[in-house]
Amino acid sequence: MNDLDRQLTELQERFGAAVAAAPSAQALDDARVAFLGRNGEVTSVRRSIGTLPPEARPAAGKRINLAVEAMERMLGDAQVRLEARAFETELAQVVDVTYPGIEPPVGTIHPVRRITEQASAYFARHGFAVVVGPEVEPDYYTFDALNIPSDHPAREGFDSFWLTDSLLLRPHTSPMQIRTMQQHRPPVAIIAPGKCYRRDAVDARHLFQFHQIEGLLVAEGVHFGHLKGMLSGLCRELFGPEQQVRFRPSFFPFTEPSAEVDTTCPRCHGHLQRCGMCGGSGWIELGGAGMVHPNVLREVEYDPDVYSGWAFGVGVERLGLTRYGVDDIRRFINSDPDFLEQLR
Ligand code: DAH
């Protein structure tokens, strides 16, 4: 090993030690200037080439360049190492990965949807198809085909949002009876859940947009007893195994006879005189029902002498009031996570 070799090896070792010990980017740069800078140690070695015999100079130059390359590699490695260390230090200050996390709020299935799904599943289990239809309907499906001609006073009961002379936001799900029967020959067994709209003033019992579940069964030999059985089953599914169902005489143009459907108060079962849910009557009203009117069957070309059927319509929010013991229907549309969370 000649003098130059020894000198450069020693230089490289010192540089390596300085770089390895550099605690900061600034210290690293100081080392770079001291060794590789314009007036640094490598430059004085280069200058010493002039003292060598001319034929030895090219080899010496090459040897110096190799040393410089090696030192620049050391410098680059040290830079990467320092940056990684700085990042880790910063992380350790900012993020304590052992700290318990913040649980993000998780939503719940809305009660209206849950009841709709549960009722749908119940009817599907009994062979009913679940159908959905348009929320904008012609008056034909909403009224005329359901045995409510334009001069019929029952139209007044449906205070509707009219879009044109003949188009409206459906005020009930009953149009789906007609749509289904026009497309299928009997027997038909469907339920039709969906949104409905009425120009009602909003209060604790009314919304202008709400949900109904319509039910329809038409076949040979269908009678009121089947309806009572299915609705009793639904109430037991939704409210508990003790539920009873009763019918009170009523009127709907599309059914004859017609009935109002009540179920036993799931809170007091008729045992509390001052029950906040049923007012002491022991019964809660669910909706309307009846045997499909012969005029409705004729409208869809079903022979009323051969086929009979029943239909019902219940309000989903009303079912929710009863099921969850809620006193104000507006709570279902206030999007209050604390309230919805309680009904989980
Ligand atoms: N469509 C009626 C309403 O919204 C409810 C109803 C009553 C539906 C009797 C029916 C039925 O299918 O048979 O007030």
Side-chain angles (χ1 to χ4, degrees):
M1 216 197 283
N2 60 32
D3 267 1
L4 182 65
D5 256 344
R6 211 172 300 121
Q7 206 179 348
L8 286 173
T9 305
E10 183 267 342
L11 199 69
Q12 243 167 280
E13 274 169 13
R14 273 196 296 119
F15 182 70
V19 152
S24 64
Q26 183 58 54
L28 204 58
D29 202 53
D30 291 346
R32 181 188 65 77
V33 172
F35 287 84
L36 299 166
R38 195 149 17 98
N39 299 313
E41 298 201 32
V42 173
T43 304
S44 33
V45 176
R46 248 192 238 289
R47 285 206 188 102
S48 70
I49 291 181
T51 65
L52 294 177
E55 66 278 8
R57 289 178 196 169
K62 219 179 254 173
R63 175 68 186 83
I64 293 172
N65 287 345
L66 282 177
V68 167
E69 272 171 33
M71 289 162 83
E72 278 172 350
R73 264 198 308 277
M74 287 178 188
L75 187 69
D77 290 350
Q79 255 156 0
V80 171
R81 232 175 15 247
L82 262 186
E83 273 164 29
R85 203 187 308 150
F87 181 63
E88 265 164 38
T89 311
E90 197 181 330
L91 263 192
Q93 280 164 0
V94 176
V95 182
D96 176 355
V97 292
T98 66
Y99 199 78
I102 300 165
E103 219 176 293
V106 178
T108 57
I109 302 287
H110 194 279
V112 166
R113 182 165 195 111
R114 183 125 30 94
I115 290 174
T116 303
E117 283 177 355
Q118 212 173 339
S120 303
Y122 163 77
F123 280 100
R125 245 178 13 245
H126 289 83
F128 284 66
V130 180
V131 298
V132 290
E135 289 168 27
V136 173
E137 285 281 16
D139 50 1
Y140 168 75
Y141 288 108
T142 316
F143 298 125
D144 302 80
L146 286 163
N147 199 32
I148 317 175
S150 52
D151 55 356
H152 197 290
R155 282 209 185 190
E156 320 252 298
F158 299 96
D159 204 354
S160 301
F161 293 101
W162 287 89
L163 305 176
T164 69
D165 280 351
S166 58
L167 273 184
L168 69 161
L169 295 177
R170 66 178 178 193
H172 57 172
T173 41
S174 302
M176 285 310 290
Q177 294 187 25
I178 305 300
R179 287 185 177 276
T180 305
M181 290 192 286
Q182 280 183 346
Q183 279 178 12
H184 302 277
R185 298 301 303 161
V188 298
I190 55 136
I191 66 158
K195 287 195 191 81
C196 303
Y197 304 82
R198 284 189 205 176
R199 292 178 46 180
D200 279 334
V202 173
D203 63 26
R205 306 275 306 163
H206 298 88
L207 298 171
F208 53 80
Q209 186 213 60
F210 54 97
H211 297 76
Q212 284 190 343
I213 299 175
E214 190 81 13
L216 175 73
L217 173 68
V218 182
E220 287 180 53
V222 170
H223 59 74
F224 233 112
H226 298 136
L227 173 60
K228 190 161 190 185
M230 286 305 294
L231 288 177
S232 300
L234 175 67
C235 290
R236 286 171 195 153
E237 180 99 356
L238 292 179
F239 306 126
E242 308 292 307
Q243 292 305 118
Q244 305 282 327
V245 162
R246 77 173 181 187
F247 292 124
R248 281 177 291 118
S250 186
F251 172 79
F252 297 102
F254 32 92
T255 45
E256 181 58 35
S258 301
E260 219 72 57
V261 186
D262 297 343
T263 189
T264 38
C265 175
R267 183 177 288 176
C268 78
H269 291 277
H271 298 314
L272 261 186
Q273 262 184 353
R274 294 224 184 95
C275 175
M277 191 174 279
C278 66
S281 73
W283 296 94
I284 305 266
E285 188 183 317
L286 292 183
M291 298 303 294
V292 180
H293 197 288
N295 286 352
V296 173
L297 294 176
R298 276 186 210 106
E299 180 67 30
V300 296
E301 289 166 14
Y302 284 16
D303 184 349
D305 292 328
V306 179
Y307 300 106
S308 59
W310 49 249
F312 69 85
V314 294
V316 183
E317 283 82 358
R318 294 285 174 88
L319 293 174
L321 293 179
T322 307
R323 163 126 167 211
Y324 298 111
V326 175
D327 56 357
D328 192 326
I329 203 165
R330 287 169 289 195
R331 282 183 166 276
F332 290 127
I333 56 165
N334 281 348
S335 302
D336 172 2
D338 289 339
F339 167 74
L340 296 171
E341 180 74 22
Q342 286 177 47
L343 309 186
R344 188 189 273 279

